[in-house]
């Protein structure tokens, strides 16, 4: 998504939270924000950018609007309770041994909002492949048999050639969940903002934020109450999420090349 698209989404999120903003100002705010460098963008900088344009929004209201912009309309609204462990346990596992099975699963999960974006994100060479059926069929043709899996109820969909590869990606995702569960609101939000600016497909952190998976109660400075040795910062969270996607891309690329070589 380009800067204009990002600006439009932010404006709409602010409007849904009762903040009317002159449409002409929002692109300037985004441009100012991006000039600070995606690697260093923070919620505080966005707040300052808005105020510099004469738009003052109360902190918690702005935080909710930004989460809305990131795709989370109701942060921490899904109570996990005893199901907290399901965040890192396999929620779906399907053996894909035949092209007909790939098509069948594509139809079965056609309404899964994140399935196609997740599989394409690990395979940028797929381009604008269409439906879930189309994507899974194309993956089968280029990577051959494997497993379609969801390593956690809100986790990323993956297609892997072996159980060992699935276990490796699951461990990588679990590491992100484990560390993020100890982070404070400010650190998670800053990491999600930077990940959104780098990859508009959205972040796994944003998906997690729909649940009450984090240990600390809501509050932008809760992480400061932890001992320094236990604190989690935004770059650490970003590194864990990007490590997962790097591993998923490497695995898919290796499998595609191996199958192409085998086919001659």
């Amino acid at each position: 998504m380009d800067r204009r698209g990002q600006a439009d989404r932010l404006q709409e999120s602010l409007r849904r939270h009762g903040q009317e903003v002159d449409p002409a100002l929002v692109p300037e705010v985004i441009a100012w924000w991006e000039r600070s460098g995606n690697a260093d963008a923070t919620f505080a900088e966005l707040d300052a950018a808005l105020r510099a344009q004469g738009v003052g929004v109360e902190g918690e209201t702005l935080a909710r609007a930004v989460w809305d912009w990131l795709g989370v309309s109701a942060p921490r609204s899904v109570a996990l309770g005893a199901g907290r462990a399901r965040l890192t346990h396999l929620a779906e596992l399907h053996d894909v041994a035949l092209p007909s099975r790939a098509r069948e699963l594509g139809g079965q999960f056609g309404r899964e909002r994140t399935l196609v974006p997740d599989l394409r994100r690990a395979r940028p060479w797929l381009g604008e492949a269409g439906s879930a059926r189309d994507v899974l069929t194309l993956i089968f043709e280029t990577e051959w048999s494997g497993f379609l899996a969801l390593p956690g109820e809100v986790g990323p969909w993956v297609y892997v050639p072996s159980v060992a590869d699935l276990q490796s990606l699951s461990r990588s995702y679990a590491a992100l969940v484990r560390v993020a569960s100890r982070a404070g609101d400010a650190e998670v939000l800053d990491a999600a903002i930077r990940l959104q600016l780098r990859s508009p497909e959205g972040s796994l952190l944003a998906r997690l934020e729909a649940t009450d998976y984090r240990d600390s109660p809501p509050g932008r400075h809760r992480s400061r109450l932890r001992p320094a040795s236990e604190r989690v910062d935004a770059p650490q969270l970003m590194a864990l999420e990007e490590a997962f996607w790097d591993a998923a891309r490497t695995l898919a690329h290796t499998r595609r090349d191996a199958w192409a070589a085998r086919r001659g």
Side-chain angles (χ1 to χ4, degrees):
M1 185 180 298
D2 61 14
R3 191 174 71 189
R4 178 71 253 181
Q6 296 276 16
D8 289 344
R9 278 185 55 185
L10 177 58
Q11 181 190 356
E12 183 58 34
S13 295
L14 288 166
R15 183 180 295 116
R16 281 196 292 268
H17 288 79
Q19 304 296 319
E20 289 294 334
V21 179
D22 182 345
L25 293 179
V26 179
E28 293 304 315
V29 171
I30 293 287
W32 183 94
W33 189 10
E34 290 183 335
R35 282 196 296 273
S36 70
N38 291 355
D40 300 315
T42 65
F43 174 84
E45 288 171 347
L46 176 59
D47 188 16
L50 285 167
R51 293 183 186 280
Q53 298 293 339
V55 180
V57 183
E58 187 271 330
E60 292 304 317
T61 299
L62 180 57
R64 289 193 297 272
V66 171
W67 275 121
D68 189 16
W69 171 61
L70 295 170
V72 187
S73 58
R76 305 183 76 169
S77 60
V78 179
L80 295 169
R84 187 176 298 268
R86 295 197 304 268
L87 285 174
T88 54
H89 286 184
L90 274 177
E92 298 281 353
L93 178 61
H94 302 275
D95 188 355
V96 188
L98 296 168
S100 59
R101 182 58 173 156
R103 291 191 294 272
E104 178 186 350
L105 287 171
Q108 180 179 338
F109 293 111
R111 295 188 178 181
E112 285 288 329
R113 181 176 58 86
T114 60
L115 186 145
V116 169
D118 286 348
L119 295 179
R120 285 176 51 195
R121 188 166 182 173
R123 299 164 177 83
W125 52 86
L126 290 180
E128 297 296 323
S131 67
R133 181 178 282 111
D134 293 337
V135 169
L136 280 170
T137 298
L138 185 55
I139 290 174
F140 189 92
E141 290 173 353
T142 55
E143 298 177 34
W144 201 235
S145 61
F147 296 92
L148 176 68
L150 185 67
E153 285 201 347
V154 298
W157 286 92
V158 298
Y159 186 92
V160 295
S162 71
V163 172
D165 293 317
L166 175 57
Q167 290 172 333
S168 178
L169 287 183
S170 294
R171 285 193 295 270
S172 180
Y173 175 66
L176 171 65
V177 175
R178 184 172 59 253
V179 174
S181 70
R182 298 189 284 106
D185 286 15
E187 290 73 25
V188 174
L189 182 52
D190 283 348
I193 287 170
R194 298 176 197 179
L195 288 166
Q196 176 77 21
L197 290 173
R198 289 184 177 187
S199 182
E201 294 96 336
S203 68
L204 300 176
L205 286 174
R207 290 187 210 174
L208 287 165
E209 193 63 20
T211 75
D212 63 348
Y213 79 106
R214 285 194 281 123
D215 297 335
S216 62
R220 290 197 47 75
H221 303 296
R222 290 287 180 182
S223 63
R224 296 178 184 175
L225 302 178
R226 293 184 180 275
S229 60
E230 297 181 10
R231 291 177 191 165
V232 177
D233 60 20
Q236 185 178 359
L237 294 170
M238 292 176 66
L240 286 167
E241 173 148 345
E242 290 176 335
F244 170 83
W245 287 116
D246 286 346
R249 279 189 291 270
T250 298
L251 181 61
H253 192 281
T254 300
R255 178 64 170 176
R256 183 191 65 164
D257 288 353
W259 181 240
R262 183 177 176 182
R263 295 171 69 184

